[in-house]
Amino acid sequence: METLILIIEFLGTFAAAISGTRLAAAKRFDWFGGYVVGLATAIGGGTLRDVMIDQTPFWMTKSIYIICTGLALLVVIVFKKYLVRLNNTWFIFDTFGLAFFTVAGIHKTLMAGFPFWVAIIMGCITGAAGGIIRDVLINEVPLIFRKEIYALCSIVGGVAYKLLVMMGYAEEVASISCFVLVVLVRVLAVKYKISLPHLKVENT
Protein backbone atom coordinates (compact mmCIF):
# COMPACT_ATOMS: atom_id res chain seq x y z
CA MET A 1 0.00 0.00 0.00
CA GLU A 2 2.88 2.37 0.75
CA THR A 3 4.27 1.76 -2.75
CA LEU A 4 0.85 2.44 -4.23
CA ILE A 5 0.66 5.78 -2.40
CA LEU A 6 4.11 6.79 -3.72
CA ILE A 7 3.04 5.95 -7.29
CA ILE A 8 -0.20 7.89 -6.87
CA GLU A 9 1.61 10.92 -5.42
CA PHE A 10 4.16 10.86 -8.25
CA LEU A 11 1.48 10.68 -10.96
CA GLY A 12 -0.52 13.38 -9.20
CA THR A 13 2.55 15.60 -8.94
CA PHE A 14 3.31 15.23 -12.64
CA ALA A 15 -0.29 15.88 -13.71
CA ALA A 16 -0.70 18.88 -11.40
CA ALA A 17 2.68 20.33 -12.36
CA ILE A 18 1.81 20.19 -16.07
CA SER A 19 -1.54 21.81 -15.31
CA GLY A 20 0.08 24.71 -13.44
CA THR A 21 3.01 25.15 -15.83
CA ARG A 22 0.71 25.09 -18.86
CA LEU A 23 -1.42 27.92 -17.43
CA ALA A 24 1.73 29.87 -16.57
CA ALA A 25 2.86 29.46 -20.19
CA ALA A 26 -0.50 30.79 -21.38
CA LYS A 27 0.12 33.86 -19.17
CA ARG A 28 3.58 34.23 -20.77
CA PHE A 29 5.57 33.55 -17.57
CA ASP A 30 9.29 32.86 -17.97
CA TRP A 31 10.74 29.39 -17.31
CA PHE A 32 11.41 30.06 -13.64
CA GLY A 33 7.94 31.49 -13.13
CA GLY A 34 6.45 28.48 -14.86
CA TYR A 35 8.40 26.13 -12.61
CA VAL A 36 7.29 27.96 -9.47
CA VAL A 37 3.63 27.85 -10.51
CA GLY A 38 3.91 24.18 -11.47
CA LEU A 39 5.63 23.32 -8.19
CA ALA A 40 3.08 25.24 -6.11
CA THR A 41 0.27 23.44 -7.91
CA ALA A 42 1.90 20.06 -7.38
CA ILE A 43 2.92 20.31 -3.72
CA GLY A 44 0.60 22.98 -2.30
CA GLY A 45 -2.28 20.74 -1.26
CA GLY A 46 -0.08 17.93 0.04
CA THR A 47 2.03 20.38 2.05
CA LEU A 48 -1.05 21.86 3.73
CA ARG A 49 -2.35 18.35 4.46
CA ASP A 50 0.92 17.18 6.00
CA VAL A 51 1.21 20.27 8.20
CA MET A 52 -2.38 19.77 9.42
CA ILE A 53 -1.81 16.10 10.31
CA ASP A 54 1.53 16.94 11.95
CA GLN A 55 3.87 15.26 9.47
CA THR A 56 6.90 16.42 7.52
CA PRO A 57 5.74 17.68 4.11
CA PHE A 58 6.17 14.83 1.63
CA TRP A 59 8.39 16.70 -0.82
CA MET A 60 10.96 17.52 1.92
CA THR A 61 11.91 13.86 2.36
CA LYS A 62 12.20 12.84 -1.32
CA SER A 63 13.64 15.03 -4.08
CA ILE A 64 11.73 13.10 -6.77
CA TYR A 65 8.83 15.54 -6.54
CA ILE A 66 11.06 18.52 -7.30
CA ILE A 67 12.58 16.59 -10.23
CA CYS A 68 9.11 15.54 -11.40
CA THR A 69 8.05 19.19 -11.60
CA GLY A 70 11.17 19.91 -13.65
CA LEU A 71 10.16 17.15 -16.08
CA ALA A 72 6.70 18.69 -16.35
CA LEU A 73 8.30 22.05 -17.16
CA LEU A 74 10.39 20.38 -19.87
CA VAL A 75 7.26 18.81 -21.39
CA VAL A 76 5.53 22.20 -21.49
CA ILE A 77 8.63 23.90 -23.00
CA VAL A 78 8.94 21.27 -25.74
CA PHE A 79 5.21 21.10 -26.53
CA LYS A 80 4.33 24.65 -25.48
CA LYS A 81 2.58 25.79 -28.66
CA TYR A 82 0.57 22.59 -28.87
CA LEU A 83 -0.47 22.63 -25.20
CA VAL A 84 -1.45 26.31 -25.12
CA ARG A 85 -3.72 25.81 -28.14
CA LEU A 86 -5.59 22.94 -26.50
CA ASN A 87 -7.81 24.18 -23.69
CA ASN A 88 -8.93 20.64 -22.87
CA THR A 89 -5.30 19.63 -22.20
CA TRP A 90 -5.30 21.76 -19.05
CA PHE A 91 -8.65 20.30 -18.04
CA ILE A 92 -7.44 16.71 -18.44
CA PHE A 93 -4.26 17.14 -16.40
CA ASP A 94 -6.05 19.23 -13.77
CA THR A 95 -8.75 16.58 -13.36
CA PHE A 96 -6.25 13.73 -13.15
CA GLY A 97 -4.20 15.66 -10.60
CA LEU A 98 -7.32 16.26 -8.52
CA ALA A 99 -8.21 12.56 -8.57
CA PHE A 100 -4.69 11.28 -7.84
CA PHE A 101 -4.21 13.67 -4.93
CA THR A 102 -7.63 12.92 -3.47
CA VAL A 103 -6.71 9.24 -3.19
CA ALA A 104 -3.24 10.03 -1.81
CA GLY A 105 -4.66 12.45 0.77
CA ILE A 106 -7.19 9.91 2.02
CA HIS A 107 -4.57 7.15 2.32
CA LYS A 108 -1.98 9.24 4.12
CA THR A 109 -4.49 10.64 6.62
CA LEU A 110 -5.82 7.18 7.45
CA MET A 111 -2.28 5.86 7.89
CA ALA A 112 -1.64 8.70 10.35
CA GLY A 113 -4.48 7.35 12.48
CA PHE A 114 -7.17 9.94 11.84
CA PRO A 115 -10.88 9.04 11.46
CA PHE A 116 -12.35 8.75 7.99
CA TRP A 117 -14.27 12.03 8.04
CA VAL A 118 -10.93 13.80 8.53
CA ALA A 119 -9.44 11.73 5.70
CA ILE A 120 -12.18 12.90 3.33
CA ILE A 121 -11.48 16.53 4.21
CA MET A 122 -7.73 16.01 3.81
CA GLY A 123 -8.32 14.30 0.46
CA CYS A 124 -10.25 17.35 -0.67
CA ILE A 125 -7.54 19.73 0.57
CA THR A 126 -4.79 17.65 -1.06
CA GLY A 127 -6.65 17.68 -4.36
CA ALA A 128 -7.90 21.26 -4.46
CA ALA A 129 -5.54 23.51 -2.46
CA GLY A 130 -2.72 23.38 -5.02
CA GLY A 131 -5.13 24.65 -7.66
CA ILE A 132 -6.13 27.54 -5.41
CA ILE A 133 -2.48 28.56 -4.97
CA ARG A 134 -1.92 28.21 -8.73
CA ASP A 135 -4.85 30.45 -9.60
CA VAL A 136 -3.78 33.10 -7.10
CA LEU A 137 -0.24 33.11 -8.54
CA ILE A 138 -1.53 33.60 -12.11
CA ASN A 139 -4.04 36.24 -10.96
CA GLU A 140 -7.22 34.26 -11.59
CA VAL A 141 -10.26 33.71 -9.37
CA PRO A 142 -9.62 30.21 -7.90
CA LEU A 143 -11.49 27.54 -9.81
CA ILE A 144 -12.88 26.09 -6.59
CA PHE A 145 -14.86 29.31 -6.01
CA ARG A 146 -16.32 29.49 -9.50
CA LYS A 147 -19.34 27.79 -10.98
CA GLU A 148 -17.69 24.46 -11.83
CA ILE A 149 -17.98 21.55 -9.39
CA TYR A 150 -14.39 20.94 -8.26
CA ALA A 151 -13.73 20.19 -4.59
CA LEU A 152 -17.10 18.45 -4.38
CA CYS A 153 -15.70 15.78 -6.74
CA SER A 154 -13.10 14.91 -4.09
CA ILE A 155 -15.76 14.62 -1.41
CA VAL A 156 -17.90 12.33 -3.59
CA GLY A 157 -14.87 10.14 -4.31
CA GLY A 158 -13.93 10.02 -0.62
CA VAL A 159 -17.42 8.98 0.45
CA ALA A 160 -17.43 6.24 -2.20
CA TYR A 161 -14.05 5.01 -0.91
CA LYS A 162 -15.44 4.76 2.61
CA LEU A 163 -18.56 2.90 1.48
CA LEU A 164 -16.53 0.37 -0.51
CA VAL A 165 -14.20 -0.29 2.44
CA MET A 166 -17.23 -0.76 4.72
CA MET A 167 -18.63 -3.26 2.21
CA GLY A 168 -15.44 -5.31 2.50
CA TYR A 169 -13.67 -4.38 -0.74
CA ALA A 170 -9.86 -4.20 -0.79
CA GLU A 171 -8.24 -0.78 -0.40
CA GLU A 172 -6.80 -1.06 -3.92
CA VAL A 173 -10.31 -1.49 -5.35
CA ALA A 174 -11.61 1.41 -3.26
CA SER A 175 -8.69 3.60 -4.41
CA ILE A 176 -9.23 2.90 -8.11
CA SER A 177 -12.99 3.43 -7.72
CA CYS A 178 -12.39 6.73 -5.91
CA PHE A 179 -10.06 7.92 -8.69
CA VAL A 180 -12.47 6.94 -11.47
CA LEU A 181 -15.43 8.54 -9.70
CA VAL A 182 -13.63 11.85 -9.12
CA VAL A 183 -12.71 12.02 -12.82
CA LEU A 184 -16.18 10.94 -13.93
CA VAL A 185 -18.04 13.45 -11.74
CA ARG A 186 -15.81 16.33 -12.87
CA VAL A 187 -16.08 15.43 -16.56
CA LEU A 188 -19.86 15.06 -16.41
CA ALA A 189 -20.25 18.27 -14.39
CA VAL A 190 -18.28 20.27 -16.97
CA LYS A 191 -19.88 18.57 -19.98
CA TYR A 192 -23.44 19.12 -18.78
CA LYS A 193 -22.69 22.43 -17.02
CA ILE A 194 -23.74 21.11 -13.61
CA SER A 195 -22.96 23.57 -10.83
CA LEU A 196 -23.97 24.56 -7.34
CA PRO A 197 -26.37 27.52 -6.91
CA HIS A 198 -24.71 30.93 -6.73
CA LEU A 199 -24.88 33.04 -3.60
CA LYS A 200 -27.10 36.04 -4.21
CA VAL A 201 -27.54 39.15 -2.13
CA GLU A 202 -30.62 41.23 -2.76
CA ASN A 203 -30.03 44.92 -3.11
CA THR A 204 -32.00 47.02 -0.65
Side-chain angles (χ1 to χ4, degrees):
M1 185 54 63
E2 208 169 310
T3 302
L4 177 62
I5 294 173
L6 288 174
I7 293 172
I8 290 171
E9 283 193 335
F10 180 83
L11 293 174
T13 300
F14 188 71
I18 285 186
S19 163
T21 309
R22 183 266 177 201
L23 285 181
K27 291 280 188 175
R28 304 186 66 81
F29 282 32
D30 63 18
W31 288 11
F32 180 75
Y35 181 82
V36 169
V37 174
L39 184 63
T41 308
I43 70 172
T47 300
L48 184 57
R49 172 205 65 212
D50 288 345
V51 169
M52 293 178 73
I53 64 175
D54 196 27
Q55 294 201 5
T56 303
F58 67 103
W59 58 271
M60 295 179 70
T61 59
K62 296 181 180 68
S63 61
I64 186 64
Y65 301 104
I66 306 297
I67 297 170
C68 180
T69 303
L71 292 175
L73 174 65
L74 184 61
V75 168
V76 174
I77 290 172
V78 173
F79 300 104
K80 177 181 176 181
K81 293 182 180 179
Y82 180 72
L83 291 175
V84 170
R85 284 201 303 267
L86 295 179
N87 289 328
N88 60 342
T89 302
W90 165 80
F91 172 75
I92 291 169
F93 281 110
D94 188 60
T95 301
F96 274 45
L98 175 66
F100 280 127
F101 280 145
T102 296
V103 175
I106 290 172
H107 275 299
K108 192 161 189 179
T109 306
L110 291 175
M111 289 176 63
F114 289 87
F116 206 92
W117 64 270
V118 176
I120 292 177
I121 295 173
M122 289 300 109
C124 182
I125 288 174
T126 308
I132 295 175
I133 298 171
R134 173 201 65 211
D135 291 343
V136 170
L137 289 175
I138 64 173
N139 198 29
E140 293 280 352
V141 177
L143 185 63
I144 192 175
F145 302 138
R146 287 185 251 162
K147 62 180 181 178
E148 290 182 12
I149 292 177
Y150 192 75
L152 190 59
C153 301
S154 292
I155 296 174
V156 171
V159 171
Y161 182 103
K162 173 62 173 176
L163 292 175
L164 288 170
V165 170
M166 289 175 61
M167 292 167 63
Y169 287 94
E171 289 186 353
E172 290 81 0
V173 174
S175 298
I176 293 171
S177 300
C178 176
F179 173 86
V180 171
L181 190 58
V182 171
V183 173
L184 185 62
V185 171
R186 178 139 164 71
V187 169
L188 291 177
V190 171
K191 182 176 180 179
Y192 294 104
K193 298 182 175 15
I194 301 171
S195 63
L196 296 174
H198 291 176
L199 285 173
K200 294 182 180 179
V201 177
E202 298 293 336
N203 293 324
T204 57

